[in-house]
Amino acid sequence: MADKSPAQKALVKLGLTRDIDLALHLPLRYEDETRITPLRNAREGDLVQIEATVTASEVQLRPRRQLVVRVEDGTGSCELRFFSFYPSHQKTMAVGARLRVRGEVRGGFWGRQMLHPAFRKAEGALPAALTPVYPTVAQLPQAYLRRAVASALARVQLPETLPPGLQPPVARFDGHAALQPVWNLREALLFLHHPTPDVALATLQDHSHPAWQRLKAEELLAQQLSQLTAKRERARLRAPRLQPAQEAGTLALHEQLLAVLPFALTGAQRRVSAEIAQDLARPVPMHRLLQGDVGSGKTVVAALAATVCMDAGWQCALMAPTEILAEQHFAKLIGWLEPLLAARGQQVAWLVGGQKKKERAAMLEHIASGAAALVVGTHAVIQEQVRFKNLALAVIDEQHRFGVAQRLALRQKLQHGVAAGPPQGDAAPLGGSDPRSGGAWGPSAPMEPHLLMMSATPIPRTLAMSYYADLDVSTIDELPPGRTPVVTKLIADSRKDQVVERIAAQVAAGRQVYWVCPLIEESEALDLSNATATHVELSEALPGVTVGLLHSRMPSLEKKAVMEEFKSGRMGVLVSTTVIEVGVDVPNASLMVIEHAERFGLSQLHQLRGRVGRGAAASACVLLYSTGDSGRLGETAKSRLKAMAETTDGFEIARRDLEIRGPGEFLGARQSGDALLRFADLACDGALLAWARAAAPQMLDQHPLLAEQHIQRWLGAKSDYLKA
Ligand code: ADP
Ligand code: MG
């Protein structure tokens, strides 16, 4: 086979391999070559196409080498200047040649001029449609790409995949404002590549044109279809039914835990716990996201779910993204559960990355034997060597902090995790699942544990409806009683002194203070030195106060020791990089200072802020911002920080974060190869999204083949999406 040309290679690199890929490679903008402007009418600054004859052509050497071509069209004349040119250009623009020239008219001292205009021989009729300009790369000339797209468009088969009853709400108006049949995909694409010159260009630019709408509707439908398919496939899998054992005389763990809790559950906690318990009692794997603001009390809900699982005689795994988070998040929960489990001869196993070999081996044994009913740790919990006896529930805390790729891997591993040890015969756990007791699956269907994900970063509604459509969501929308709202203040870092005074006052009143230094992404070393310097500075400014330092590079034992000091109240001020971002629970802390707040994401700031206001004392969060050399904070930066001061509603903050950062950043999907929406924009395509959500189940039910075809068309080359 002949080697590919650089242009062909570039096509492959851009992911433009199939005809459909080329057909979906839409123009960035258009050039209007459909009209000729007489030179007489061409005004300075106009971008025009003229048709004129060359009357003179010469290479001038001063002030620098340039080709100067003079053209006339009978209504006026114009000079074309080229500072770089080839002999072939001179040939095309020889005296007497008739040319079509496109460029911006300048009215110089010497009359009209165009600098480096586009030109070609005046041949054939003018095009009837606008000329597309495609996004491309250096190795792929625009003209080559145009031809490739045009021939793909001519070849590509685009049979209608949307059944007549399921057309998107995209109207088409004729000249008399009467509704016409909607655009189909083929018409829409043909139009978008070669629109007629009478189109309002603004509607192409802002994607409001009906042809664009049709395209976006199709894309959203494909996304919904694929997620719904995934959801339905999961519904065919088996999972253990987790229902309480009916053993006389013993009190279930679940009731025991409720009895030892030092507080009553909030209404929201009771509601979501019931939702989860209902899922767990079904013989299909749960796939649920539990979202609730920082401090809303998700851990107890997880603990209750774990007891349901253990009461049914199965193992439960709890995971957090880092070791320190795992410890902080689950410390209380384990404090509650460990004694209860011990009374039944069971235990809690820890699995983290940096464990000693011997300890790890012992843990693995407990897990394999089933002596450990509860397994806690980082994603080390689901590594290959780990063999569960009978894992039935996996809980993932702070799931958004796992990368998307990590999350996918995790789910795959889980599928194998439980397959390793479904109970059989005598080994069947008390009250465990009985494959005969319902469900449409056969005994050979793969077994998967239930999955509960928890997140304090609420997913804005539009994202939940699109990217997470295959997920069930439970929301804790109520904070435990007795919390004092945190007051947030914006202060320029030039007024740091006042903030230090405030810290001194808080400590004098017996309270404790967090000082958060920003993570400097480019340089961990800089990050560290910054935190260290702040630590020294504050220690000097606050004589008699114990100021501690916590940063990500410290050995974990040292971290633990520092955290202990702070928790015990002996340490007044804790300087830290963002390691405390989630999980620290010190009710006596009443002030948090966040340095360079402008460098943090809103959701991140919100989570940090959630670390204070956990006790009865009035609490505050100071967002110190740096104005840099300009002495002013940029407008966007300011409005972002203002939003933080204005609202304490995590959902509202997540929504604004989404607005500012877009879904790619939000989902961390850029690194994942996940199919991001390419044409639709969730911020303004809510109506189309709603249509797609309603249409997807109908289409899967009534037109499964068309649905399959539609998914294939849109997501077949999904990995190529991001590169385009
Ligand atoms: P998050 O949702 O951020 O994970 P946690 O589960 O860490 O929140 O709970 C935050 C704090 O609130 C913990 O100290 C927890 O013990 C406490 N808590 C949880 N539920 C309640 C409740 N119903 N009443 C009082 N305090 C509660
Ligand atoms: Mg938590």
Side-chain angles (χ1 to χ4, degrees):
M1 217 174 79
D3 270 347
K4 286 198 164 113
S5 71
Q8 283 168 323
K9 280 188 200 149
L11 278 180
V12 173
K13 213 166 161 201
L14 286 174
L16 304 176
T17 49
R18 308 174 306 167
D19 284 344
I20 179 73
D21 302 326
L22 283 158
L24 291 176
H25 192 67
L26 292 186
L28 273 179
R29 56 188 177 82
Y30 304 90
E31 281 171 359
D32 189 351
E33 296 178 329
T34 64
R35 274 181 280 244
I36 299 289
T37 306
L39 273 168
R40 183 184 45 212
N41 299 348
R43 248 158 298 167
E44 163 137 36
D46 284 356
L47 183 68
V48 296
Q49 174 170 248
I50 58 172
E51 189 166 312
T53 307
V54 178
T55 56
S57 168
E58 65 167 329
V59 175
Q60 292 179 359
L61 294 175
R62 259 175 301 226
R64 55 187 270 216
R65 196 174 125 84
Q66 53 185 296
L67 173 64
V68 181
V69 176
R70 186 149 202 92
V71 296
E72 281 177 16
D73 73 349
T75 72
S77 68
C78 181
E79 208 172 67
L80 318 178
R81 281 178 190 268
F82 302 87
F83 292 109
S84 67
F85 54 94
Y86 296 102
S88 62
H89 293 161
Q90 285 170 274
K91 215 169 133 197
T92 310
M93 292 187 281
V95 172
R98 185 96 182 139
L99 301 176
R100 278 183 201 145
V101 182
R102 265 186 95 252
E104 190 185 320
V105 180
R106 300 193 183 184
F109 182 70
W110 303 105
R112 283 186 209 93
Q113 267 193 10
M114 287 188 190
L115 276 184
H116 282 262
F119 61 90
R120 67 167 85 148
K121 269 205 190 106
E123 283 172 336
L126 288 171
L130 300 182
T131 308
V133 179
Y134 294 106
T136 187
V137 290
Q139 301 79 9
L140 184 59
Q142 191 64 233
Y144 185 98
L145 183 53
R146 272 182 199 149
R147 278 196 303 275
V149 171
S151 62
L153 272 176
R155 266 193 315 264
V156 71
Q157 297 289 316
L158 291 170
E160 177 65 276
T161 48
L162 303 195
L166 285 178
Q167 292 293 316
V170 178
R172 168 186 227 169
F173 292 92
D174 67 10
H176 312 286
L179 282 178
Q180 296 283 303
V182 296
W183 298 71
N184 66 33
L185 182 62
R186 187 182 172 74
E187 288 174 319
L189 284 177
L190 288 177
F191 182 83
L192 292 176
H193 284 283
H194 300 285
T196 46
D198 60 349
V199 69
L201 275 176
T203 64
L204 293 183
Q205 244 127 49
D206 69 7
H207 299 183
S208 64
H209 190 278
W212 263 109
Q213 298 278 318
R214 169 67 194 220
L215 203 63
K216 297 196 278 190
E218 291 229 352
E219 179 182 43
L220 286 165
L221 179 64
Q223 189 195 39
Q224 292 295 319
L225 282 173
S226 78
Q227 299 220 20
L228 193 59
T229 308
K231 191 169 184 171
R232 290 186 174 185
E233 271 164 13
R234 206 170 39 247
R236 281 196 291 273
L237 297 175
R238 290 192 310 148
R241 298 177 76 132
L242 304 177
Q243 285 167 321
Q246 302 297 321
E247 244 192 305
T250 51
L251 199 56
L253 271 178
H254 192 256
E255 274 64 46
Q256 287 182 303
L257 174 59
L258 285 174
V260 298
L261 283 183
F263 46 74
L265 296 183
T266 61
Q269 282 171 321
R270 276 201 304 274
R271 175 175 46 78
V272 300
S273 291
E275 285 165 7
I276 292 165
Q278 232 167 43
D279 280 359
L280 294 180
R282 293 183 350 114
V284 290
M286 169 171 79
H287 193 67
R288 188 171 281 279
L289 176 71
L290 172 60
Q291 56 181 13
D293 220 333
V294 200
S296 61
K298 294 184 289 295
T299 324
V300 183
V301 175
L304 288 168
T307 59
V308 171
C309 170
M310 294 185 287
D311 275 331
W314 294 74
Q315 286 173 303
C316 173
L318 288 174
M319 283 165 275
T322 67
E323 193 173 334
I324 193 159
L325 289 181
E327 277 175 27
Q328 288 170 6
H329 287 203
F330 303 131
K332 262 192 189 171
L333 177 158
I334 286 163
W336 295 323
L337 285 178
E338 204 153 32
L340 303 179
L341 285 172
R344 328 178 147 209
Q346 285 185 317
Q347 47 179 296
V348 178
W350 273 94
L351 274 185
V352 288
Q355 231 161 358
K356 293 218 177 65
K357 263 205 173 132
K358 210 168 140 198
E359 188 186 343
R360 186 176 168 78
M363 294 295 177
L364 288 178
E365 204 180 301
H366 296 323
I367 297 168
S369 73
L374 186 62
V375 185
V376 184
T378 57
H379 57 273
V381 166
I382 40 119
Q383 261 155 22
E384 247 172 274
Q385 314 90 308
V386 186
R387 292 266 170 272
F388 286 91
K389 176 156 179 275
N390 59 0
L391 177 68
L393 170 64
V395 181
I396 302 173
D397 202 1
E398 301 298 339
Q399 69 100 26
H400 63 283
R401 303 198 54 188
F402 287 95
V404 176
Q406 235 177 332
R407 262 159 20 211
L408 287 177
L410 197 128
R411 266 161 67 183
Q412 269 157 15
K413 277 182 181 155
L414 280 179
Q415 287 170 7
H416 302 303
V418 80
Q424 273 159 8
D426 290 345
L430 296 169
S433 83
D434 177 351
R436 287 158 301 181
S437 57
W441 28 264
S444 60
M447 185 81 118
E448 215 184 281
H450 298 282
L451 183 57
L452 178 64
M453 292 164 277
M454 305 200 285
S455 174
T457 302
I459 303 173
R461 221 175 87 83
T462 46
L463 279 193
M465 282 167 50
S466 56
Y467 291 98
Y468 291 92
D470 68 331
L471 213 63
D472 295 311
V473 180
S474 288
T475 304
I476 305 186
D477 50 7
E478 177 188 359
L479 289 180
R483 297 274 163 83
T484 40
V486 179
V487 177
T488 301
K489 294 231 163 88
L490 297 190
I491 299 184
D493 64 1
S494 52
R495 287 163 58 203
K496 225 181 204 174
D497 289 355
Q498 294 169 25
V499 177
V500 173
E501 276 170 30
R502 196 160 169 172
I503 294 176
Q506 286 294 310
V507 176
R511 305 269 166 226
Q512 288 167 281
V513 179
Y514 294 108
W515 183 291
V516 182
C517 304
L519 210 68
I520 299 168
E521 272 185 32
E522 312 84 66
S523 155
E524 232 186 297
L526 208 61
D527 172 29
L528 179 55
S529 76
N530 181 42
T532 315
T534 305
H535 178 236
V536 171
E537 214 177 292
L538 284 177
S539 302
E540 278 169 7
L542 297 163
V545 176
T546 312
V547 181
L549 173 64
L550 194 66
H551 62 77
S552 45
R553 289 243 205 118
M554 271 160 68
S556 60
L557 263 181
E558 220 174 295
K559 278 187 199 163
K560 252 183 244 175
V562 173
M563 279 316 302
E564 261 328 299
E565 277 286 288
F566 191 66
K567 269 190 204 157
S568 72
R570 289 187 294 270
M571 183 181 286
V573 179
L574 178 60
V575 176
S576 156
T577 52
T578 44
V579 283
I580 58 158
E581 181 179 333
V582 268
V584 184
D585 197 14
V586 179
N588 192 45
S590 60
L591 174 61
M592 172 171 288
V593 181
I594 303 176
E595 211 176 348
H596 280 298
E598 76 280 359
R599 293 190 193 161
F600 289 87
L602 289 187
S603 295
Q604 218 181 353
L605 286 175
H606 181 62
Q607 298 220 353
L608 282 168
R609 177 169 66 178
R611 298 299 120 201
V612 289
R614 307 206 135 203
S619 299
C621 175
V622 170
L623 302 179
L624 272 183
Y625 61 86
S626 164
T627 54
D629 297 335
S630 73
R632 279 187 20 216
L633 189 64
E635 274 314 310
T636 24
K638 198 183 274 168
S639 74
R640 290 176 61 228
L641 291 183
K642 270 201 186 131
M644 285 306 298
E646 279 161 14
T647 177
T648 53
D649 177 351
F651 274 90
E652 177 59 19
I653 286 166
R655 201 186 55 74
R656 295 200 194 181
D657 218 11
L658 174 66
E659 252 173 38
I660 296 164
R661 298 196 294 164
E665 292 244 358
F666 206 89
L667 301 168
R670 281 257 172 255
Q671 341 113 24
S672 79
D674 252 18
L676 279 176
L677 289 172
R678 192 171 149 194
F679 301 120
D681 176 357
L682 295 176
C684 54
D685 293 326
L688 293 177
L689 177 60
W691 165 80
R693 269 173 73 79
Q698 287 185 53
M699 191 156 161
L700 273 185
D701 290 340
Q702 293 158 23
H703 308 276
L705 289 178
L706 287 177
E708 174 58 38
Q709 215 179 339
H710 190 82
I711 294 176
Q712 206 44 46
R713 173 183 293 167
W714 278 92
L715 302 176
K718 141 180 170 174
S719 56
D720 296 331
Y721 266 27
L722 289 177
K723 297 181 210 137

